[in-house]
Amino acid sequence: MFQRARLQLTVWYACVFAAILAVVGSLAYLTIRRDLDNEIDASLESAMHGLELGMVQLDPQSGLFPFFQGRPDEDHDDDDDHKRDPKLEATLSSDLFYVATMGGDVVANPRRVDLEGVDLEALEEGASDGAELTDVAGDHQRFRILSQQGPEGSYIHVGRSLDARDRQLRTLAIVLGVGGLTGLTLSTAGGFWLAGRTLSPIRRSLEMQRRFVSDASHELRTPIATVKANNELLLRHHDQTVEANLDQVEAIATETDHMARLVSDLLTLARADEGRLEIVKERVDLAGVVSELVRDVQPLAEARGVALVGDTSAAQLEGDRARMRQLAMILVDNAVKYTPSGGQVTVRTRKAGKKVELVVSDTGPGIAAEHHARIFDRFYRVDTARARRDGGTGLGLPIARWIAEVHGGQIHVDSGPGLGATFTVRLPAAS
Ligand code: ADP
């Protein structure tokens, strides 16, 4: 699913990029073509203007400008036809030429331009109503020609080969095409990589959610099966008293309690994931919260033969009082739960610089180092059977970590097998 989404994103990205490249490339091509054409047109017009001035200054009888004298039907030396007039020639730059025609025949072509294949009559016709710019194709090259009427029924054509302009435009098209394709290939590869990076946190979060749902269902399966089995047993003996089936009734009550705790913890984490759990901050003295809690848990600890000791000094912070109690309760409850009879659990609070600390240590079995990072994962237990027997949901420490983090703090464990466990929570102190 993610691979498909990644490919789709890449294709979209490539299409958008290709469209942008096509628009920018076409604009660049058209702008440069227009500039080249404008430059050619301007050079033709200024050359035509220069020629006009030159012709006015010439003495028609001087013979310097042959086509004033020569007529296509008259006998004349071919060379005469193309005699150069230095004064007129000087008005033209080297890439321009001029030709004079009359009745479709060339009467002057000083630069001996090969006009083979060019329809001169059509040019004359076009210019009969005024100056006309035309792109024409000869047998060997293309020209742009500005034609206008000259003296004595002649036509003057100033032209320029379009070869250089066409070559430049071809090179430009190749550069834009190759550059665009290279850019498109690179950006598509980049897009594929980016799509992978963008999708990977979404994939991770979806995988986490999927695992969470599957673990939660798995956790609920056992108590539901137990309740169902005991219920069936009770139904089979429906004529007996509750006392006669106390084991089943107690099992149902225990499993129902466990499910209620599990569902409540699941809801807490699901809402925390969505950011829907409100944290109402107020000034809280952790020492007060812990003293109260120690007092409340004392009977349970005593019942288990565990000495519960509170060692508190003022530790003020800005936080949610109920969540602080929940955090301390998770740690104290675990410590009492996992410490064997005869052991001790100590709960300390203190201010340490800009932080306040809550430290819960016990003399229980401890936790091997390889489990330290994982006990904060959802549903992770070091000894699954034991934890379930003790009524654990495997969600206590993940909730504790969320509470610490949402208050800008951290939680960590110090422990080793047989060395007891010490959980330390550090939170920003109130200023
Ligand atoms: P549970 O509900 O199973 O206690 P937690 O998330 O609170 O789940 O704890 C995860 C696991 O970490 C426990 O199952 C247990 O194996 C281990 N653990 C937590 N606190 C202690 C402790 N004080 N001593 C030993 N093991 C502990």
Side-chain angles (χ1 to χ4, degrees), residues 286 290 293 312 315 324-325 327-329 331-332 346-350 356-361 410-412 422-427:
L286 218 47
V290 165
L293 184 98
T312 56
M324 283 300 134
R325 182 181 161 93
L327 166 57
M329 179 61 108
L331 300 180
V332 172
T346 311
V347 192
R348 291 190 189 85
T349 61
R350 69 179 185 116
V356 292
E357 280 182 357
L358 164 68
V359 183
V360 181
S361 47
Q410 296 141 356
I411 180 168
H412 77 267
T422 299
F423 284 86
T424 306
V425 183
R426 271 196 198 93
L427 299 159

Side-chain angles (χ1 to χ4, degrees), residues 334-335 337-338 362 367 375 380-382 387 392-398 423:
N334 274 350
K337 198 163 62 181
Y338 294 110
D362 62 58
I367 305 162
I375 52 173
Y380 187 81
R381 287 119 164 179
V382 177
T393 60
L395 296 175
L397 289 180
F423 284 86

Side-chain angles (χ1 to χ4, degrees), residues 72 99-107 115 118-125 153-155 157:
V99 179
T101 62
M102 204 175 269
D105 291 320
V106 176
V107 292
L115 291 171
V118 176
D119 186 350
L120 296 171
E121 268 179 80
L123 287 181
E124 289 182 355
E125 214 173 292
S154 66
Y155 286 89
H157 312 274

Side-chain angles (χ1 to χ4, degrees), residues 177-205:
V178 171
L181 272 180
T182 313
L184 186 63
T185 312
L186 289 177
S187 76
T188 304
F192 186 69
W193 178 76
L194 265 181
R197 279 194 66 121
T198 313
L199 287 173
S200 98
I202 303 172
R203 185 212 310 248
R204 262 202 307 277
S205 137

Side-chain angles (χ1 to χ4, degrees), residues 143-166:
F143 303 101
R144 177 160 302 168
I145 294 181
L146 176 63
S147 310
Q148 75 173 45
Q149 280 181 328
E152 299 177 36
S154 66
Y155 286 89
I156 313 283
H157 312 274
V158 178
R160 188 166 159 173
S161 164
L162 288 177
D163 279 7
R165 173 250 196 207
D166 289 347

Side-chain angles (χ1 to χ4, degrees), residues 201-379:
I202 303 172
R203 185 212 310 248
R204 262 202 307 277
S205 137
L206 264 181
E207 267 165 16
M208 257 173 64
Q209 290 292 344
R210 207 176 295 145
R211 202 168 55 235
F212 188 40
V213 170
S214 121
D215 287 350
S217 321
H218 185 75
E219 289 293 326
L220 281 166
R221 253 207 344 237
T222 315
I224 288 174
T226 315
V227 169
K228 191 166 175 276
N230 283 292
N231 246 342
E232 281 166 2
L233 244 151
L234 283 176
L235 281 172
R236 243 183 276 151
H237 306 127
H238 57 88
D239 48 345
Q240 292 180 358
T241 61
V242 170
E243 283 78 19
N245 292 297
L246 213 53
D247 283 354
Q248 282 75 42
V249 175
E250 271 176 8
I252 290 173
T254 309
E255 292 304 330
T256 313
D257 270 359
H258 180 68
M259 277 194 285
R261 245 194 335 273
L262 192 60
V263 169
S264 152
D265 285 356
L266 281 172
L267 262 178
T268 304
L269 282 172
R271 288 197 182 130
D273 285 348
E274 284 179 61
R276 276 207 293 137
L277 277 189
E278 216 189 326
I279 297 294
V280 188
K281 287 199 174 171
E282 58 182 312
R283 185 168 281 252
V284 181
D285 186 359
L286 218 47
V289 173
V290 165
S291 304
E292 224 172 74
L293 184 98
V294 168
R295 191 192 63 211
D296 296 347
V297 182
Q298 204 59 260
L300 175 82
E302 270 171 32
R304 287 179 169 254
V306 174
L308 177 59
V309 181
D311 172 11
T312 56
S313 65
Q316 305 261 2
L317 61 92
E318 292 291 332
D320 186 313
R321 180 180 294 275
R323 294 289 171 206
M324 283 300 134
R325 182 181 161 93
Q326 188 180 12
L327 166 57
M329 179 61 108
I330 291 168
L331 300 180
V332 172
D333 184 55
N334 274 350
V336 171
K337 198 163 62 181
Y338 294 110
T339 303
S341 175
Q344 179 173 319
V345 172
T346 311
V347 192
R348 291 190 189 85
T349 61
R350 69 179 185 116
K351 184 163 189 275
K354 290 188 168 171
K355 304 269 173 197
V356 292
E357 280 182 357
L358 164 68
V359 183
V360 181
S361 47
D362 62 58
T363 56
I367 305 162
E370 71 256 32
H371 302 295
H372 285 188
R374 302 198 59 196
I375 52 173
F376 295 98
D377 289 348
R378 295 169 186 194
F379 298 114

